[in-house]
Amino acid sequence: MSRAWIGLGMIGLAACSDLSGGNNGVVALEVRLPSPAAVEPDDTLLLKARALDAEGDSVPVPVLWRTLDDSLLTIVDSTGAVTTDKTSGQPRVQAYVGSLGSQILTLTIRPRSDNLVLTVPATITVPAADTASAPLGAAVQSLNPAGGVPGTSILYEVTDPAALGTVRFANGLLQFRGATGTDGAPVVPVLLRKVASATPPGTVLVQVSASRPSGTPVPGSGQQFTILFQ
């Protein structure tokens, strides 16, 4: 028996019925939503679920979706594609096969991610006596309503292989994903730190990017910070 669901990286939820197998042998639905489970105007979020039999194995039958809030959410495709024309709200959705339904799940509507902008100069100098850069300021912004997009994230990536082992973000890695607050900027300022007893290259490039719920890159993704270590 294999219960692995490869490549999703999502939060799993399950709902069970009795074990009679009256829905084409399906006795449970395994639902996986991204975290955060958000949808934006004019973008499409793909909900994922699979049917399981009494042994916990996948059953090759379509899992359908419905919304309990038609005024907030539009089902583009009953197999899991949803969208909205609102900028806020918490629509509820449910997966089902025949008479078997999943738990009722709540999505979050957030403003559309229209731009990823740098909020500080793209070139940052780190004096020799300092152990970290100034904050690498960036924000995801919406045009309607104008302002920051909360509840999304910005990915920071060191793109220079020569920097390996000489610099790091707060997580100790060369990649860091900063969750955004109400202004669309990371809630916790993102700094690039020197590794103790290591000498970083004179120049380190850090690329920033963000995605909409569909996975489409936010315009402005791919911009870079140039970190100059003295």
Side-chain angles (χ1 to χ4, degrees):
M1 176 179 71
S2 174
R3 296 295 302 274
W5 200 353
I6 304 300
L8 291 179
M10 300 179 183
I11 297 174
L13 300 169
C16 297
S17 70
D18 60 67
L19 300 181
S20 63
N23 296 286
N24 295 312
V26 178
V27 301
L29 299 178
E30 187 176 59
V31 178
R32 296 199 172 189
L33 298 180
S35 179
V39 60
E40 297 181 1
D42 305 318
D43 190 59
T44 301
L45 173 66
L46 184 61
L47 306 172
K48 294 182 180 292
R50 65 174 182 170
L52 304 177
D53 62 17
E55 300 300 320
D57 292 322
S58 295
V59 179
V61 299
V63 179
L64 303 181
W65 289 84
R66 55 190 166 220
T67 176
L68 284 68
D69 300 290
D70 291 332
S71 63
L72 295 177
L73 193 72
T74 299
I75 301 291
V76 178
D77 186 319
S78 61
T79 58
V82 299
T83 190
T84 186
D85 59 1
K86 310 300 182 183
T87 58
S88 64
Q90 293 188 306
R92 297 162 295 166
V93 294
Q94 184 181 42
Y96 66 96
V97 171
S99 60
L100 173 63
S102 74
Q103 297 167 262
I104 295 174
L105 308 170
T106 301
L107 307 179
T108 297
I109 298 174
R110 68 188 184 208
R112 178 180 167 90
S113 298
D114 289 313
N115 292 299
L116 174 60
V117 300
L118 305 186
T119 58
V120 299
T123 299
I124 296 175
T125 299
V126 183
D130 291 354
T131 59
S133 71
L136 308 185
V140 180
Q141 296 182 338
S142 177
L143 298 177
N144 182 28
V149 179
T152 184
S153 65
I154 300 173
L155 178 64
Y156 293 77
E157 300 179 273
V158 174
T159 60
D160 301 324
L164 180 64
T166 67
V167 295
R168 61 178 177 82
F169 292 110
N171 58 0
L173 304 176
L174 295 182
Q175 289 187 344
F176 183 83
R177 187 172 293 278
T180 63
T182 55
D183 60 355
V187 174
V188 179
V190 178
L191 313 178
L192 188 64
R193 302 182 181 277
K194 296 178 183 178
V195 173
S197 302
T199 302
T203 300
V204 175
L205 300 179
V206 177
Q207 182 174 280
V208 293
S209 60
S211 299
R212 293 171 175 152
S214 62
T216 303
V218 176
S221 293
Q223 296 182 78
Q224 295 186 123
F225 286 101
T226 300
I227 315 300
L228 303 177
F229 288 97
Q230 295 184 334

